[in-house]
């Protein structure tokens, strides 16, 4: 019985995504890319995974996101992670291509073995979505995020990502 319920759930998820057919709704998005993090005159390039859950109202979206980046600097492991809320404006081009711009407010934590601080940050984002199927969009994006001032060091990131957004 458990296997049958699991199989039905797995089969129902894609059907639910296609059933909404351009109506407002909840979406999930997964992104991966490059985060170029700048601090104290140095640049650290890292793999960036990010997950978002949001609501698409047609030409406006609001989303909560989470990311985590790790790097080893001088034999010390540093972790930068954050959660935020973004507001995104989609531009209708009457085609499968939809450019967008937005803003983000987030909490960002920098942690090492002997240091841990959380700061408020702000960012701007833009990109383009390609609707490849009803309610499935491939996304190419750029984000500039000011992550905060940790001690006397301002930290910001340039993020280049690709992802998939599925609306239910």
């Amino acid at each position: 019985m458990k296997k049958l319920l699991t199989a039905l759930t797995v089969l129902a998820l894609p059907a639910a995504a296609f059933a909404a057919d351009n109506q407002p709704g909840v979406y999930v998005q997964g992104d991966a890319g490059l985060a170029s993090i700048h601090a104290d005159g140095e640049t650290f390039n890292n793999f960036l995974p990010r997950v978002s859950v949001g609501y698409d109202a047609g030409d406006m979206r609001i989303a909560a996101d989470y990311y985590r980046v790790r790097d080893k600097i001088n034999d010390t492991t540093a972790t930068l992670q954050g959660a935020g809320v973004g507001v995104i404006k989609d531009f209708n081009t009457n085609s499968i291509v939809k450019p967008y711009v937005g803003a983000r407010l987030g909490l960002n934590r920098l942690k090492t073995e002997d240091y841990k601080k959380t700061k408020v940050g702000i960012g701007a984002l833009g990109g383009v979505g390609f609707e490849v199927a009803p309610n499935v969009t491939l996304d190419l994006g750029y984000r500039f995020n000011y992550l905060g001032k940790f001690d006397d060091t301002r930290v910001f990131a340039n993020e280049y990502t690709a992802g998939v957004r599925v609306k239910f």
Side-chain angles (χ1 to χ4, degrees):
M1 184 66 163
K2 244 183 178 179
K3 288 182 183 181
L4 177 61
L5 287 174
T6 302
L8 288 174
T9 302
V10 169
L11 292 172
L13 285 176
F18 289 109
D21 197 23
N22 293 323
Q23 297 296 318
V26 174
Y27 69 88
V28 294
Q29 181 168 334
D31 294 302
L34 172 72
S36 184
I37 300 167
H38 305 274
D40 229 7
E42 293 188 58
T43 300
F44 306 95
N45 294 314
N46 294 283
F47 172 72
L48 171 72
R50 179 177 43 245
V51 64
S52 304
V53 176
Y55 182 77
D56 185 342
D59 64 343
M60 293 293 293
R61 291 183 279 137
I62 185 165
D65 66 63
Y66 173 80
Y67 73 90
R68 182 176 176 188
V69 175
R70 294 185 76 164
D71 202 344
K72 194 158 189 118
I73 305 164
N74 300 329
D75 295 325
T76 301
T77 300
T79 302
L80 180 63
Q81 60 188 11
V85 175
V87 177
I88 302 114
K89 165 70 174 151
D90 289 310
F91 297 97
N92 188 355
T93 61
N94 294 319
S95 72
I96 65 166
V97 178
K98 258 192 189 174
Y100 64 86
V101 295
R104 178 184 184 273
L105 183 65
L107 289 175
N108 305 290
R109 175 184 284 178
L110 178 61
K111 182 174 135 183
T112 65
E113 286 110 21
D114 55 351
Y115 180 89
K116 180 176 18 173
K117 290 224 175 156
T118 302
K119 298 293 181 175
V120 174
I122 190 164
L125 56 121
V128 65
F130 300 91
E131 190 174 339
V132 295
N135 300 321
V136 178
T137 303
L138 296 181
D139 184 276
L140 295 175
Y142 168 78
R143 289 182 181 214
F144 173 84
N145 279 312
Y146 172 70
L147 303 173
K149 190 172 184 181
F150 295 89
D151 293 336
D152 291 328
T153 303
R154 291 187 177 143
V155 180
F156 64 92
N158 292 293
E159 303 170 3
Y160 309 90
T161 60
V164 176
R165 181 169 57 247
V166 178
K167 185 168 50 168
F168 299 93

